[in-house]
Every structure is written in C-alpha cells, then in structure tokens.
Amino acid sequence: MTSHDVVAKLRKILQTKKIGHAGTLDPLATGVLPILVNKGTKLSQKLMEHDKTYIATIQLGIKTDTGDITGNVIEER
C-alpha cells in the first residue's frame, strides 16, 4: 500500500477532499505515516521541516539486482 493509497482510502472513509500526508511509506520500513485532515493540512509544512531518524540493519558482502534485500543475489564477497 502506498501513501497515496492510504490517503485515497481515508478520503472515502472520512468523506473529505481536504486530506494529505506528511511522509512516504517505504515497503521495507516501519514507522508512522502522519495523515492530515481538513484544518490539520495546514501543519504539513511544519512537519516536513523536521529531520527524520532511521535505524537500519545492513548485511555486508552481498550485491542484489535491486540494490536491496528483496532482489536476487548477483555477487557475494
């Protein structure tokens, strides 16, 4: 599900056209997707001004055809 999919689904559920998000859903990540509705959409710029923090686990020594863990291993060292 993409960020756009979430907004589209909530637009129908909440029956509003004034809705958006302040982030992006990454299929390999976990976290929060801030949804802004009606007057809350005015907060978007403030939310986007802040830095994000990531915690990652990496595996060294493999190369995949997609550049991430979902791809096929094409090289190992």
Side-chain angles (χ1 to χ4, degrees):
M1 183 173 263
T2 67
S3 305
H4 179 77
D5 294 337
V6 172
V7 169
K9 186 170 271 197
L10 285 172
R11 182 176 284 121
K12 288 179 185 176
I13 292 169
L14 300 173
Q15 299 178 355
T16 184
K17 290 184 179 182
K18 196 159 185 171
I19 186 169
H21 64 86
T24 303
L25 287 177
D26 182 326
L28 298 178
T30 59
V32 176
L33 177 65
I35 299 294
L36 309 165
V37 182
N38 297 323
K39 291 181 182 179
T41 58
K42 294 179 182 180
L43 297 173
S44 177
Q45 188 60 38
K46 281 286 183 200
L47 290 174
M48 299 303 280
E49 289 174 2
H50 294 279
D51 292 333
K52 295 179 184 177
T53 301
Y54 294 92
I55 299 172
T57 302
I58 62 170
Q59 181 177 350
L60 301 175
I62 65 167
K63 181 178 181 179
T64 66
D65 55 1
T66 60
D68 60 28
I69 198 67
T70 65
N72 296 311
V73 175
I74 56 175
E75 186 178 333
E76 288 187 67
R77 290 183 183 202

Short mmCIF file of all heavy atoms in Angstrom, two decimals:
data_model
loop_
_atom_site.label_atom_id
_atom_site.label_comp_id
_atom_site.label_asym_id
_atom_site.label_seq_id
_atom_site.Cartn_x
_atom_site.Cartn_y
_atom_site.Cartn_z
N MET A 1 0.85 -1.17 0.00
CA MET A 1 0.00 0.00 0.00
C MET A 1 0.90 1.24 0.00
O MET A 1 1.82 1.34 0.81
CB MET A 1 -0.90 -0.03 1.24
CG MET A 1 -1.87 1.10 1.33
SD MET A 1 -3.03 0.92 2.69
CE MET A 1 -4.40 0.22 1.82
N THR A 2 0.64 2.16 -0.90
CA THR A 2 1.42 3.39 -0.97
C THR A 2 0.79 4.47 -0.10
O THR A 2 -0.35 4.34 0.34
CB THR A 2 1.51 3.91 -2.42
OG1 THR A 2 0.19 4.32 -2.82
CG2 THR A 2 2.05 2.85 -3.37
N SER A 3 1.53 5.56 0.09
CA SER A 3 1.00 6.70 0.83
C SER A 3 -0.26 7.23 0.14
O SER A 3 -1.24 7.57 0.79
CB SER A 3 2.04 7.82 0.91
OG SER A 3 3.24 7.34 1.46
N HIS A 4 -0.21 7.28 -1.19
CA HIS A 4 -1.37 7.75 -1.97
C HIS A 4 -2.57 6.84 -1.76
O HIS A 4 -3.71 7.32 -1.64
CB HIS A 4 -1.00 7.81 -3.45
CG HIS A 4 -2.12 8.25 -4.33
ND1 HIS A 4 -2.53 9.55 -4.42
CD2 HIS A 4 -2.96 7.53 -5.12
CE1 HIS A 4 -3.55 9.62 -5.25
NE2 HIS A 4 -3.82 8.42 -5.68
N ASP A 5 -2.35 5.53 -1.71
CA ASP A 5 -3.43 4.57 -1.47
C ASP A 5 -4.09 4.81 -0.12
O ASP A 5 -5.32 4.76 0.01
CB ASP A 5 -2.91 3.12 -1.51
CG ASP A 5 -2.41 2.70 -2.87
OD1 ASP A 5 -2.83 3.30 -3.89
OD2 ASP A 5 -1.59 1.76 -2.91
N VAL A 6 -3.28 5.08 0.91
CA VAL A 6 -3.80 5.34 2.25
C VAL A 6 -4.68 6.59 2.23
O VAL A 6 -5.80 6.59 2.76
CB VAL A 6 -2.66 5.50 3.27
CG1 VAL A 6 -3.19 5.97 4.61
CG2 VAL A 6 -1.90 4.19 3.43
N VAL A 7 -4.19 7.66 1.60
CA VAL A 7 -4.95 8.91 1.54
C VAL A 7 -6.26 8.70 0.77
O VAL A 7 -7.31 9.16 1.20
CB VAL A 7 -4.11 10.04 0.90
CG1 VAL A 7 -4.96 11.25 0.58
CG2 VAL A 7 -2.97 10.42 1.84
N ALA A 8 -6.21 7.98 -0.34
CA ALA A 8 -7.41 7.73 -1.14
C ALA A 8 -8.45 6.96 -0.33
O ALA A 8 -9.65 7.28 -0.35
CB ALA A 8 -7.05 6.98 -2.41
N LYS A 9 -7.99 5.95 0.41
CA LYS A 9 -8.92 5.14 1.22
C LYS A 9 -9.53 5.98 2.34
O LYS A 9 -10.73 5.94 2.58
CB LYS A 9 -8.19 3.92 1.79
CG LYS A 9 -9.09 2.96 2.52
CD LYS A 9 -8.38 1.68 2.83
CE LYS A 9 -8.58 0.76 1.64
NZ LYS A 9 -8.30 -0.64 1.92
N LEU A 10 -8.70 6.78 3.02
CA LEU A 10 -9.21 7.61 4.10
C LEU A 10 -10.12 8.73 3.59
O LEU A 10 -11.06 9.13 4.26
CB LEU A 10 -8.05 8.21 4.91
CG LEU A 10 -7.35 7.22 5.83
CD1 LEU A 10 -6.10 7.84 6.44
CD2 LEU A 10 -8.29 6.75 6.92
N ARG A 11 -9.83 9.23 2.39
CA ARG A 11 -10.69 10.27 1.78
C ARG A 11 -12.12 9.75 1.67
O ARG A 11 -13.08 10.45 1.97
CB ARG A 11 -10.14 10.65 0.40
CG ARG A 11 -10.94 11.75 -0.27
CD ARG A 11 -10.31 12.18 -1.60
NE ARG A 11 -9.15 13.02 -1.33
CZ ARG A 11 -7.91 12.76 -1.73
NH1 ARG A 11 -7.66 11.68 -2.44
NH2 ARG A 11 -6.93 13.58 -1.44
N LYS A 12 -12.26 8.49 1.26
CA LYS A 12 -13.59 7.88 1.14
C LYS A 12 -14.22 7.63 2.51
O LYS A 12 -15.40 7.93 2.73
CB LYS A 12 -13.50 6.57 0.36
CG LYS A 12 -13.22 6.77 -1.11
CD LYS A 12 -13.12 5.44 -1.82
CE LYS A 12 -12.72 5.65 -3.28
NZ LYS A 12 -12.53 4.38 -3.97
N ILE A 13 -13.42 7.09 3.43
CA ILE A 13 -13.94 6.78 4.76
C ILE A 13 -14.40 8.04 5.49
O ILE A 13 -15.47 8.07 6.09
CB ILE A 13 -12.88 6.03 5.61
CG1 ILE A 13 -12.64 4.63 5.03
CG2 ILE A 13 -13.30 5.94 7.07
CD1 ILE A 13 -11.43 3.92 5.63
N LEU A 14 -13.56 9.08 5.43
CA LEU A 14 -13.85 10.32 6.15
C LEU A 14 -14.73 11.29 5.35
O LEU A 14 -15.13 12.32 5.87
CB LEU A 14 -12.55 11.02 6.54
CG LEU A 14 -11.62 10.21 7.45
CD1 LEU A 14 -10.29 10.93 7.64
CD2 LEU A 14 -12.29 9.93 8.78
N GLN A 15 -14.98 10.94 4.10
CA GLN A 15 -15.81 11.75 3.21
C GLN A 15 -15.34 13.22 3.17
O GLN A 15 -16.10 14.14 3.41
CB GLN A 15 -17.28 11.66 3.61
CG GLN A 15 -17.82 10.26 3.52
CD GLN A 15 -19.25 10.15 3.96
OE1 GLN A 15 -19.87 11.09 4.42
NE2 GLN A 15 -19.81 8.96 3.81
N THR A 16 -14.06 13.38 2.86
CA THR A 16 -13.49 14.72 2.75
C THR A 16 -12.51 14.77 1.58
O THR A 16 -11.91 13.75 1.24
CB THR A 16 -12.77 15.14 4.05
OG1 THR A 16 -12.33 16.48 3.91
CG2 THR A 16 -11.59 14.26 4.38
N LYS A 17 -12.37 15.92 0.99
CA LYS A 17 -11.40 16.11 -0.08
C LYS A 17 -10.11 16.73 0.44
O LYS A 17 -9.07 16.64 -0.19
CB LYS A 17 -11.99 16.99 -1.18
CG LYS A 17 -13.08 16.31 -1.96
CD LYS A 17 -13.56 17.17 -3.10
CE LYS A 17 -14.65 16.42 -3.86
NZ LYS A 17 -15.13 17.17 -5.00
N LYS A 18 -10.19 17.36 1.61
CA LYS A 18 -9.03 18.04 2.18
C LYS A 18 -8.29 17.08 3.11
O LYS A 18 -8.54 17.02 4.31
CB LYS A 18 -9.47 19.30 2.92
CG LYS A 18 -8.33 20.23 3.18
CD LYS A 18 -8.81 21.64 3.42
CE LYS A 18 -7.59 22.52 3.56
NZ LYS A 18 -7.90 23.91 3.60
N ILE A 19 -7.39 16.30 2.52
CA ILE A 19 -6.64 15.30 3.26
C ILE A 19 -5.30 15.10 2.56
O ILE A 19 -5.21 15.22 1.34
CB ILE A 19 -7.42 13.97 3.37
CG1 ILE A 19 -6.70 12.97 4.26
CG2 ILE A 19 -7.75 13.40 2.01
CD1 ILE A 19 -7.53 11.75 4.64
N GLY A 20 -4.28 14.85 3.33
CA GLY A 20 -2.96 14.62 2.77
C GLY A 20 -2.08 13.88 3.77
O GLY A 20 -2.52 13.49 4.83
N HIS A 21 -0.82 13.72 3.41
CA HIS A 21 0.12 13.03 4.29
C HIS A 21 1.43 13.80 4.37
O HIS A 21 1.73 14.62 3.51
CB HIS A 21 0.37 11.59 3.82
CG HIS A 21 1.04 11.50 2.48
ND1 HIS A 21 2.41 11.54 2.34
CD2 HIS A 21 0.54 11.39 1.23
CE1 HIS A 21 2.72 11.44 1.06
NE2 HIS A 21 1.60 11.35 0.37
N ALA A 22 2.19 13.54 5.41
CA ALA A 22 3.47 14.20 5.60
C ALA A 22 4.55 13.13 5.73
O ALA A 22 5.21 13.00 6.75
CB ALA A 22 3.44 15.09 6.84
N GLY A 23 4.69 12.33 4.70
CA GLY A 23 5.69 11.27 4.72
C GLY A 23 5.49 10.34 3.56
O GLY A 23 4.66 10.58 2.68
N THR A 24 6.24 9.28 3.54
CA THR A 24 6.15 8.29 2.47
C THR A 24 6.26 6.90 3.09
O THR A 24 7.06 6.69 3.99
CB THR A 24 7.30 8.49 1.46
OG1 THR A 24 7.25 9.81 0.97
CG2 THR A 24 7.19 7.53 0.30
N LEU A 25 5.46 5.99 2.59
CA LEU A 25 5.55 4.61 3.06
C LEU A 25 6.60 3.87 2.25
O LEU A 25 6.54 3.83 1.03
CB LEU A 25 4.20 3.90 2.89
CG LEU A 25 3.10 4.29 3.85
CD1 LEU A 25 1.82 3.53 3.49
CD2 LEU A 25 3.48 4.01 5.28
N ASP A 26 7.57 3.33 2.92
CA ASP A 26 8.59 2.51 2.29
C ASP A 26 8.24 1.06 2.61
O ASP A 26 8.09 0.71 3.77
CB ASP A 26 9.96 2.87 2.86
CG ASP A 26 11.10 2.10 2.23
OD1 ASP A 26 10.90 0.91 1.87
OD2 ASP A 26 12.20 2.66 2.10
N PRO A 27 8.12 0.21 1.61
CA PRO A 27 7.69 -1.17 1.87
C PRO A 27 8.61 -1.94 2.82
O PRO A 27 8.18 -2.88 3.46
CB PRO A 27 7.69 -1.84 0.49
CG PRO A 27 7.96 -0.78 -0.50
CD PRO A 27 8.33 0.48 0.20
N LEU A 28 9.89 -1.54 2.91
CA LEU A 28 10.82 -2.27 3.78
C LEU A 28 10.98 -1.62 5.15
O LEU A 28 11.74 -2.10 5.97
CB LEU A 28 12.19 -2.35 3.10
CG LEU A 28 12.22 -3.11 1.78
CD1 LEU A 28 13.62 -3.08 1.20
CD2 LEU A 28 11.75 -4.54 1.96
N ALA A 29 10.28 -0.54 5.39
CA ALA A 29 10.45 0.19 6.65
C ALA A 29 9.19 0.11 7.51
O ALA A 29 8.11 -0.19 7.03
CB ALA A 29 10.76 1.66 6.35
N THR A 30 9.37 0.37 8.79
CA THR A 30 8.23 0.51 9.70
C THR A 30 8.27 1.92 10.25
O THR A 30 9.31 2.56 10.28
CB THR A 30 8.31 -0.50 10.85
OG1 THR A 30 9.52 -0.31 11.56
CG2 THR A 30 8.23 -1.93 10.34
N GLY A 31 7.15 2.40 10.67
CA GLY A 31 7.11 3.74 11.22
C GLY A 31 5.72 4.33 11.17
O GLY A 31 4.73 3.60 11.16
N VAL A 32 5.65 5.63 11.08
CA VAL A 32 4.39 6.36 11.15
C VAL A 32 4.19 7.15 9.88
O VAL A 32 5.12 7.75 9.36
CB VAL A 32 4.41 7.32 12.36
CG1 VAL A 32 3.16 8.17 12.41
CG2 VAL A 32 4.58 6.55 13.66
N LEU A 33 2.97 7.15 9.37
CA LEU A 33 2.59 7.99 8.24
C LEU A 33 1.61 9.04 8.76
O LEU A 33 0.44 8.73 8.98
CB LEU A 33 1.93 7.18 7.12
CG LEU A 33 1.45 7.99 5.92
CD1 LEU A 33 2.62 8.62 5.18
CD2 LEU A 33 0.64 7.11 4.98
N PRO A 34 2.09 10.26 9.01
CA PRO A 34 1.17 11.29 9.51
C PRO A 34 0.13 11.66 8.46
O PRO A 34 0.46 11.97 7.32
CB PRO A 34 2.08 12.50 9.78
CG PRO A 34 3.47 11.94 9.83
CD PRO A 34 3.46 10.75 8.94
N ILE A 35 -1.14 11.55 8.83
CA ILE A 35 -2.25 11.91 7.96
C ILE A 35 -2.84 13.23 8.46
O ILE A 35 -3.09 13.38 9.64
CB ILE A 35 -3.34 10.81 7.97
CG1 ILE A 35 -2.77 9.49 7.47
CG2 ILE A 35 -4.56 11.24 7.16
CD1 ILE A 35 -2.37 9.48 6.02
N LEU A 36 -3.03 14.17 7.55
CA LEU A 36 -3.54 15.49 7.89
C LEU A 36 -4.90 15.67 7.25
O LEU A 36 -5.07 15.42 6.06
CB LEU A 36 -2.56 16.55 7.39
CG LEU A 36 -1.10 16.31 7.81
CD1 LEU A 36 -0.15 17.15 7.00
CD2 LEU A 36 -0.94 16.56 9.28
N VAL A 37 -5.88 16.09 8.05
CA VAL A 37 -7.25 16.19 7.58
C VAL A 37 -7.79 17.59 7.85
O VAL A 37 -7.57 18.16 8.93
CB VAL A 37 -8.16 15.15 8.27
CG1 VAL A 37 -9.58 15.21 7.74
CG2 VAL A 37 -7.59 13.74 8.10
N ASN A 38 -8.52 18.13 6.87
CA ASN A 38 -9.17 19.44 6.96
C ASN A 38 -8.19 20.52 7.43
O ASN A 38 -7.17 20.73 6.81
CB ASN A 38 -10.44 19.35 7.80
CG ASN A 38 -11.46 18.44 7.15
OD1 ASN A 38 -11.59 18.41 5.93
ND2 ASN A 38 -12.18 17.67 7.93
N LYS A 39 -8.46 21.19 8.56
CA LYS A 39 -7.57 22.26 9.03
C LYS A 39 -6.18 21.75 9.38
O LYS A 39 -5.21 22.51 9.36
CB LYS A 39 -8.19 22.98 10.23
CG LYS A 39 -9.42 23.79 9.90
CD LYS A 39 -9.96 24.47 11.14
CE LYS A 39 -11.22 25.26 10.82
NZ LYS A 39 -11.78 25.91 12.01
N GLY A 40 -6.07 20.48 9.69
CA GLY A 40 -4.78 19.89 10.02
C GLY A 40 -3.80 19.90 8.86
O GLY A 40 -2.59 19.82 9.07
N THR A 41 -4.30 20.03 7.63
CA THR A 41 -3.40 20.06 6.47
C THR A 41 -2.48 21.27 6.51
O THR A 41 -1.43 21.27 5.88
CB THR A 41 -4.19 20.04 5.14
OG1 THR A 41 -5.08 21.16 5.12
CG2 THR A 41 -4.98 18.75 4.98
N LYS A 42 -2.85 22.29 7.27
CA LYS A 42 -2.01 23.48 7.40
C LYS A 42 -0.72 23.19 8.17
O LYS A 42 0.22 23.97 8.12
CB LYS A 42 -2.79 24.61 8.08
CG LYS A 42 -3.95 25.12 7.24
CD LYS A 42 -4.71 26.20 7.94
CE LYS A 42 -5.90 26.63 7.08
NZ LYS A 42 -6.68 27.69 7.71
N LEU A 43 -0.67 22.08 8.88
CA LEU A 43 0.52 21.71 9.65
C LEU A 43 1.58 21.02 8.80
O LEU A 43 2.70 20.78 9.26
CB LEU A 43 0.13 20.78 10.80
CG LEU A 43 -0.79 21.35 11.87
CD1 LEU A 43 -1.20 20.25 12.84
CD2 LEU A 43 -0.10 22.48 12.60
N SER A 44 1.26 20.70 7.57
CA SER A 44 2.15 19.93 6.72
C SER A 44 3.55 20.53 6.63
O SER A 44 4.54 19.82 6.81
CB SER A 44 1.55 19.81 5.31
OG SER A 44 2.44 19.13 4.47
N GLN A 45 3.65 21.81 6.34
CA GLN A 45 4.96 22.44 6.19
C GLN A 45 5.78 22.34 7.47
O GLN A 45 6.97 22.06 7.43
CB GLN A 45 4.80 23.91 5.78
CG GLN A 45 6.10 24.58 5.41
CD GLN A 45 6.80 23.91 4.24
OE1 GLN A 45 6.18 23.46 3.28
NE2 GLN A 45 8.12 23.82 4.32
N LYS A 46 5.14 22.54 8.62
CA LYS A 46 5.85 22.44 9.91
C LYS A 46 6.40 21.03 10.13
O LYS A 46 7.53 20.85 10.58
CB LYS A 46 4.93 22.82 11.06
CG LYS A 46 4.77 24.29 11.26
CD LYS A 46 6.03 24.85 11.86
CE LYS A 46 5.87 26.34 12.13
NZ LYS A 46 7.15 27.00 12.27
N LEU A 47 5.61 20.02 9.81
CA LEU A 47 6.05 18.64 9.99
C LEU A 47 7.20 18.30 9.07
O LEU A 47 8.13 17.59 9.45
CB LEU A 47 4.89 17.68 9.75
CG LEU A 47 3.79 17.67 10.80
CD1 LEU A 47 2.64 16.78 10.34
CD2 LEU A 47 4.32 17.19 12.13
N MET A 48 7.16 18.80 7.84
CA MET A 48 8.18 18.47 6.85
C MET A 48 9.51 19.17 7.12
O MET A 48 10.54 18.77 6.59
CB MET A 48 7.68 18.81 5.45
CG MET A 48 6.42 18.03 5.04
SD MET A 48 6.61 16.25 5.12
CE MET A 48 7.45 15.97 3.60
N GLU A 49 9.52 20.19 7.97
CA GLU A 49 10.75 20.91 8.31
C GLU A 49 11.66 20.11 9.23
O GLU A 49 12.84 20.39 9.32
CB GLU A 49 10.41 22.25 8.98
CG GLU A 49 9.81 23.27 8.06
CD GLU A 49 9.37 24.53 8.79
OE1 GLU A 49 9.56 24.63 10.04
OE2 GLU A 49 8.81 25.42 8.12
N HIS A 50 11.13 19.11 9.90
CA HIS A 50 11.91 18.34 10.87
C HIS A 50 12.69 17.22 10.18
O HIS A 50 12.27 16.67 9.16
CB HIS A 50 11.00 17.75 11.94
CG HIS A 50 10.36 18.81 12.79
ND1 HIS A 50 11.02 19.41 13.83
CD2 HIS A 50 9.14 19.39 12.74
CE1 HIS A 50 10.24 20.30 14.40
NE2 HIS A 50 9.09 20.31 13.75
N ASP A 51 13.84 16.88 10.77
CA ASP A 51 14.66 15.79 10.26
C ASP A 51 14.04 14.46 10.63
O ASP A 51 13.36 14.34 11.65
CB ASP A 51 16.07 15.85 10.84
CG ASP A 51 16.85 17.05 10.34
OD1 ASP A 51 16.56 17.53 9.23
OD2 ASP A 51 17.75 17.51 11.06
N LYS A 52 14.33 13.45 9.81
CA LYS A 52 13.91 12.09 10.10
C LYS A 52 15.10 11.34 10.68
O LYS A 52 16.25 11.66 10.40
CB LYS A 52 13.47 11.37 8.83
CG LYS A 52 12.24 11.95 8.19
CD LYS A 52 11.91 11.18 6.92
CE LYS A 52 10.73 11.79 6.20
NZ LYS A 52 10.47 11.09 4.95
N THR A 53 14.82 10.33 11.46
CA THR A 53 15.86 9.47 12.01
C THR A 53 15.57 8.04 11.56
O THR A 53 14.44 7.59 11.63
CB THR A 53 15.87 9.53 13.55
OG1 THR A 53 16.09 10.88 13.95
CG2 THR A 53 16.96 8.66 14.13
N TYR A 54 16.62 7.36 11.11
CA TYR A 54 16.47 5.98 10.66
C TYR A 54 17.37 5.07 11.48
O TYR A 54 18.49 5.43 11.82
CB TYR A 54 16.86 5.84 9.18
CG TYR A 54 15.96 6.58 8.24
CD1 TYR A 54 16.25 7.88 7.85
CD2 TYR A 54 14.82 5.98 7.74
CE1 TYR A 54 15.42 8.57 6.98
CE2 TYR A 54 13.98 6.66 6.87
CZ TYR A 54 14.30 7.95 6.49
OH TYR A 54 13.48 8.63 5.63
N ILE A 55 16.87 3.90 11.77
CA ILE A 55 17.67 2.84 12.37
C ILE A 55 17.66 1.71 11.36
O ILE A 55 16.59 1.30 10.89
CB ILE A 55 17.07 2.37 13.72
CG1 ILE A 55 17.05 3.53 14.70
CG2 ILE A 55 17.86 1.19 14.26
CD1 ILE A 55 16.32 3.23 15.99
N ALA A 56 18.83 1.23 10.98
CA ALA A 56 18.90 0.24 9.91
C ALA A 56 19.75 -0.96 10.30
O ALA A 56 20.65 -0.86 11.13
CB ALA A 56 19.50 0.88 8.65
N THR A 57 19.44 -2.08 9.69
CA THR A 57 20.26 -3.28 9.79
C THR A 57 20.78 -3.54 8.38
O THR A 57 20.01 -3.56 7.42
CB THR A 57 19.42 -4.48 10.26
OG1 THR A 57 18.84 -4.16 11.53
CG2 THR A 57 20.26 -5.72 10.38
N ILE A 58 22.08 -3.72 8.27
CA ILE A 58 22.66 -3.96 6.95
C ILE A 58 23.41 -5.28 6.93
O ILE A 58 23.85 -5.77 7.98
CB ILE A 58 23.59 -2.81 6.50
CG1 ILE A 58 24.77 -2.67 7.45
CG2 ILE A 58 22.83 -1.50 6.42
CD1 ILE A 58 25.84 -1.72 6.95
N GLN A 59 23.54 -5.83 5.76
CA GLN A 59 24.33 -7.04 5.58
C GLN A 59 25.40 -6.73 4.55
O GLN A 59 25.09 -6.36 3.41
CB GLN A 59 23.45 -8.20 5.09
CG GLN A 59 24.21 -9.48 4.92
CD GLN A 59 23.33 -10.64 4.51
OE1 GLN A 59 22.11 -10.54 4.54
NE2 GLN A 59 23.94 -11.74 4.14
N LEU A 60 26.64 -6.85 4.97
CA LEU A 60 27.75 -6.57 4.07
C LEU A 60 28.12 -7.82 3.29
O LEU A 60 27.94 -8.94 3.75
CB LEU A 60 28.96 -6.08 4.88
CG LEU A 60 28.74 -4.82 5.71
CD1 LEU A 60 29.98 -4.52 6.55
CD2 LEU A 60 28.40 -3.64 4.82
N GLY A 61 28.63 -7.61 2.09
CA GLY A 61 29.17 -8.72 1.31
C GLY A 61 28.24 -9.27 0.25
O GLY A 61 28.59 -10.24 -0.43
N ILE A 62 27.04 -8.73 0.10
CA ILE A 62 26.18 -9.20 -0.98
C ILE A 62 25.76 -8.02 -1.85
O ILE A 62 25.67 -6.89 -1.40
CB ILE A 62 24.92 -9.94 -0.49
CG1 ILE A 62 24.00 -9.02 0.30
CG2 ILE A 62 25.28 -11.18 0.30
CD1 ILE A 62 22.62 -9.60 0.54
N LYS A 63 25.54 -8.32 -3.12
CA LYS A 63 25.03 -7.33 -4.07
C LYS A 63 23.80 -7.96 -4.73
O LYS A 63 23.84 -9.12 -5.14
CB LYS A 63 26.09 -7.01 -5.12
CG LYS A 63 25.67 -5.99 -6.14
CD LYS A 63 26.82 -5.70 -7.10
CE LYS A 63 26.42 -4.67 -8.12
NZ LYS A 63 27.55 -4.39 -9.04
N THR A 64 22.71 -7.21 -4.79
CA THR A 64 21.50 -7.73 -5.42
C THR A 64 21.17 -6.92 -6.67
O THR A 64 21.65 -5.80 -6.85
CB THR A 64 20.29 -7.68 -4.46
OG1 THR A 64 19.97 -6.33 -4.18
CG2 THR A 64 20.58 -8.43 -3.16
N ASP A 65 20.31 -7.47 -7.50
CA ASP A 65 19.94 -6.79 -8.74
C ASP A 65 19.00 -5.60 -8.50
O ASP A 65 18.79 -4.80 -9.41
CB ASP A 65 19.34 -7.76 -9.75
CG ASP A 65 18.14 -8.54 -9.22
OD1 ASP A 65 17.74 -8.34 -8.05
OD2 ASP A 65 17.61 -9.37 -9.97
N THR A 66 18.47 -5.45 -7.30
CA THR A 66 17.60 -4.31 -6.99
C THR A 66 18.26 -3.32 -6.03
O THR A 66 17.70 -2.25 -5.78
CB THR A 66 16.28 -4.78 -6.34
OG1 THR A 66 16.60 -5.48 -5.14
CG2 THR A 66 15.48 -5.65 -7.28
N GLY A 67 19.41 -3.68 -5.47
CA GLY A 67 20.08 -2.80 -4.52
C GLY A 67 19.52 -2.88 -3.11
O GLY A 67 19.90 -2.12 -2.24
N ASP A 68 18.57 -3.80 -2.88
CA ASP A 68 18.02 -4.00 -1.55
C ASP A 68 17.85 -5.49 -1.30
O ASP A 68 18.13 -6.32 -2.16
CB ASP A 68 16.71 -3.23 -1.33
CG ASP A 68 15.61 -3.63 -2.29
OD1 ASP A 68 15.59 -4.80 -2.74
OD2 ASP A 68 14.75 -2.80 -2.60
N ILE A 69 17.36 -5.84 -0.14
CA ILE A 69 17.27 -7.25 0.27
C ILE A 69 16.23 -8.04 -0.52
O ILE A 69 16.22 -9.25 -0.51
CB ILE A 69 17.04 -7.36 1.81
CG1 ILE A 69 17.38 -8.74 2.33
CG2 ILE A 69 15.62 -6.98 2.17
CD1 ILE A 69 18.84 -9.08 2.24
N THR A 70 15.33 -7.34 -1.23
CA THR A 70 14.29 -8.05 -1.97
C THR A 70 14.79 -8.62 -3.30
O THR A 70 14.11 -9.44 -3.90
CB THR A 70 13.08 -7.12 -2.27
OG1 THR A 70 13.51 -6.08 -3.14
CG2 THR A 70 12.51 -6.55 -0.98
N GLY A 71 15.95 -8.19 -3.75
CA GLY A 71 16.46 -8.63 -5.05
C GLY A 71 17.16 -9.96 -4.99
O GLY A 71 17.38 -10.56 -3.94
N ASN A 72 17.55 -10.43 -6.17
CA ASN A 72 18.30 -11.66 -6.30
C ASN A 72 19.77 -11.35 -6.10
O ASN A 72 20.30 -10.38 -6.64
CB ASN A 72 18.10 -12.26 -7.70
CG ASN A 72 16.68 -12.67 -7.95
OD1 ASN A 72 16.06 -13.34 -7.12
ND2 ASN A 72 16.11 -12.23 -9.05
N VAL A 73 20.46 -12.20 -5.31
CA VAL A 73 21.89 -12.01 -5.06
C VAL A 73 22.65 -12.28 -6.36
O VAL A 73 22.49 -13.32 -6.98
CB VAL A 73 22.39 -12.95 -3.94
CG1 VAL A 73 23.89 -12.82 -3.76
CG2 VAL A 73 21.67 -12.64 -2.63
N ILE A 74 23.43 -11.28 -6.77
CA ILE A 74 24.19 -11.41 -8.01
C ILE A 74 25.70 -11.46 -7.75
O ILE A 74 26.48 -11.77 -8.65
CB ILE A 74 23.86 -10.28 -9.03
CG1 ILE A 74 24.08 -8.91 -8.40
CG2 ILE A 74 22.43 -10.43 -9.53
CD1 ILE A 74 23.89 -7.74 -9.37
N GLU A 75 26.08 -11.16 -6.51
CA GLU A 75 27.51 -11.21 -6.15
C GLU A 75 27.63 -11.35 -4.63
O GLU A 75 26.87 -10.74 -3.89
CB GLU A 75 28.19 -9.92 -6.61
CG GLU A 75 29.68 -9.91 -6.43
CD GLU A 75 30.32 -8.61 -6.96
OE1 GLU A 75 29.77 -7.97 -7.86
OE2 GLU A 75 31.36 -8.26 -6.41
N GLU A 76 28.60 -12.18 -4.21
CA GLU A 76 28.90 -12.32 -2.78
C GLU A 76 30.38 -12.20 -2.58
O GLU A 76 31.17 -12.68 -3.39
CB GLU A 76 28.42 -13.69 -2.26
CG GLU A 76 26.94 -13.83 -2.13
CD GLU A 76 26.53 -15.11 -1.45
OE1 GLU A 76 26.83 -15.24 -0.23
OE2 GLU A 76 25.93 -15.96 -2.11
N ARG A 77 30.77 -11.54 -1.50
CA ARG A 77 32.19 -11.40 -1.17
C ARG A 77 32.38 -11.67 0.30
O ARG A 77 31.57 -11.37 1.11
CB ARG A 77 32.67 -10.00 -1.48
CG ARG A 77 32.75 -9.72 -2.95
CD ARG A 77 33.31 -8.35 -3.17
NE ARG A 77 33.31 -8.07 -4.59
CZ ARG A 77 34.07 -7.20 -5.16
NH1 ARG A 77 34.89 -6.48 -4.45
NH2 ARG A 77 34.02 -7.00 -6.45
#
